Amino acid sequence: MRAAAIEAATELFGTAGYRGATFKDVAAKLGMTAAGLTYYFPDKDALLAAVLQERDRPALVAETAIPPSPSRADITDHVMRILAENIEHPGLAELHCVLSAEATSAEHPAHEHFRDRYRKARELLTDAFEVAIARGEIRPSIPPRTLATLLLGVLDGVQLQWLLDPQEVDMQATVHTFVSDLLAPPESP
Amino acid sequence: MRAAAIEAATELFGTAGYRGATFKDVAAKLGMTAAGLTYYFPDKDALLAAVLQERDRPALVAETAIPPSPSRADITDHVMRILAENIEHPGLAELHCVLSAEATSAEHPAHEHFRDRYRKARELLTDAFEVAIARGEIRPSIPPRTLATLLLGVLDGVQLQWLLDPQEVDMQATVHTFVSDLLAPPESP
């Protein structure tokens, strides 16, 4: 039941947002009363914490990890795996899109979660770009931290356009071009 | 009073989202009852429409328009003007961030608005990049439409990171690097 509640909350937070969905909505989706749901989760914040934790499962992160000394192809593969997962689970992509946007308010219960998640992602990607630049795989003229911020920005921003207009926006081709072409060093073919 | 109501709704939709803010919340912010506010706006959807219309004022668009045959510097200036406006009005940046994310749901009242707005922005930027590529100002290896999608993605995605963590993310420097360095043709200095 705990897993079913997390699934129901994931779906509702993705479509209606954390703020738009009520604790009672999640209970109703499970065919139970709000009082019944409190047996598993005391309140909506506890549901949100469980949803976010589920999204960050170590197994999920490990599957899509960048190898220690990445080539440009390794970074591209990493990014394309993330996109493939989002295309397979558009509900989770929408959840991320809506919750991260809501969480820009300092008072949102997931504000620290998203702020820290992006800090960590920028760090990991900065390290990966640093090594890839040293290997001659990524253009050296731009600081690795800037590249990390841009790549995360491209992922979120192109995904937003894709979620709004999946027929018109080829998310995979667009992001692939960014990593494998725009980030290639000048001398590469 | 109409303008004040639009301003109050803009602020509330930006912090709480369209779904998280109620018609009554907007009225309360104006020190009036919901019944009183219906004299100006029949419901929350009408408020949303007015807020979106206000954001797309022709004057605002004209001020930041790209000249007909743009250089890379013209495109950079255009983008930096948008960012400067967002930095001056972080509440409007947050409004865009939250509403566009909510609007990824096909049932959201602003879904068509944002889908069409991005279509139009991609078209305008595709045309600008096409001309700039022909002028030798932008790298020619990437289709202009892909560049347009990427630039809009960078703007939204880097802005999300900046809204979450303004001390850590230098939005202006990051976006500037994208346009003036990453998009420069290979032979440029």
Side-chain angles (χ1 to χ4, degrees):
Chain A
M1 175 49 76
R2 222 180 160 271
I6 293 173
E7 205 181 309
T10 298
E11 200 183 315
L12 277 169
F13 291 165
T15 50
Y18 164 80
R19 288 196 174 113
T22 65
F23 189 74
K24 210 174 149 184
D25 292 338
V26 179
K29 209 174 163 64
L30 295 160
M32 62 201 295
T33 61
L37 182 55
T38 57
Y39 181 76
Y40 303 95
F41 293 98
D43 55 23
K44 197 168 74 160
D45 276 17
L47 272 172
L48 177 66
V51 164
L52 295 174
Q53 199 181 7
E54 181 70 15
R55 282 292 289 146
D56 285 339
R57 282 200 325 274
L60 195 76
V61 176
E63 269 164 33
T64 56
I66 309 177
S69 176
S71 65
R72 192 166 71 259
D74 289 331
I75 297 176
T76 307
D77 287 353
H78 167 71
V79 168
M80 298 318 284
R81 276 195 301 270
I82 295 174
L83 291 191
E85 207 208 322
N86 290 355
I87 287 170
E88 204 183 332
H89 307 287
L92 293 182
E94 202 181 346
L95 176 81
H96 175 84
C97 177
V98 171
L99 285 185
S100 61
E102 284 187 335
T104 55
S105 285
E107 306 81 37
H108 193 282
H111 179 71
E112 277 79 22
H113 170 88
F114 279 100
R115 189 197 59 200
D116 295 349
R117 197 170 189 270
Y118 277 96
R119 279 185 188 175
K120 202 179 152 190
R122 279 193 300 268
E123 265 172 49
L124 286 170
L125 285 171
T126 299
D127 291 348
F129 279 127
E130 202 162 273
V131 178
I133 289 168
R135 285 188 58 185
E137 291 277 340
I138 294 284
R139 67 174 53 230
S141 55
I142 295 158
R145 198 186 142 85
T146 303
L147 292 174
T149 308
L150 282 173
L151 174 54
L152 290 171
V154 162
L155 281 170
D156 285 334
V158 174
Q159 183 164 275
L160 173 71
Q161 293 176 66
W162 171 72
L163 286 167
L164 279 166
D165 209 353
Q167 312 300 325
E168 288 280 319
V169 176
D170 190 338
M171 173 167 66
Q172 288 174 299
T174 305
V175 174
H176 193 279
T177 298
F178 177 75
V179 186
S180 72
D181 189 343
L182 261 185
L183 299 191
E187 59 280 6
S188 93
Chain B
M1 175 49 75
R2 221 179 162 272
I6 293 172
E7 203 182 310
T10 299
E11 200 183 316
L12 276 170
F13 292 165
T15 50
Y18 164 79
R19 287 194 175 114
T22 65
F23 189 75
K24 211 173 147 186
D25 291 338
V26 179
K29 209 173 163 64
L30 296 160
M32 62 200 296
T33 63
L37 182 54
T38 57
Y39 181 77
Y40 303 95
F41 293 97
D43 54 24
K44 196 167 74 160
D45 276 18
L47 271 171
L48 177 65
V51 165
L52 294 174
Q53 201 182 5
E54 180 69 16
R55 281 292 287 146
D56 286 337
R57 283 200 324 273
L60 195 73
V61 176
E63 270 165 33
T64 58
I66 308 177
S69 175
S71 65
R72 192 165 71 259
D74 289 332
I75 298 176
T76 307
D77 286 353
H78 167 71
V79 168
M80 298 319 284
R81 275 195 301 268
I82 295 174
L83 292 192
E85 208 208 319
N86 291 356
I87 287 170
E88 204 183 330
H89 307 286
L92 293 182
E94 201 180 346
L95 177 82
H96 175 86
C97 177
V98 171
L99 286 185
S100 61
E102 283 187 336
T104 57
S105 286
E107 306 83 35
H108 194 281
H111 179 71
E112 277 78 22
H113 170 87
F114 279 101
R115 189 197 59 200
D116 295 348
R117 196 170 191 270
Y118 277 96
R119 279 185 188 174
K120 202 178 152 193
R122 278 194 300 268
E123 266 172 48
L124 286 170
L125 284 171
T126 299
D127 292 348
F129 279 127
E130 203 161 274
V131 178
I133 288 169
R135 285 188 58 184
E137 291 277 342
I138 294 283
R139 65 174 53 232
S141 56
I142 294 161
R145 198 185 141 85
T146 303
L147 292 174
T149 309
L150 281 173
L151 175 54
L152 290 171
V154 162
L155 280 170
D156 285 334
V158 175
Q159 183 164 275
L160 172 69
Q161 293 177 65
W162 171 71
L163 285 168
L164 279 167
D165 209 353
Q167 311 301 324
E168 288 280 320
V169 176
D170 189 337
M171 173 166 66
Q172 287 172 301
T174 305
V175 174
H176 193 278
T177 297
F178 177 77
V179 187
S180 73
D181 188 343
L182 261 185
L183 300 190
E187 60 280 5
S188 94

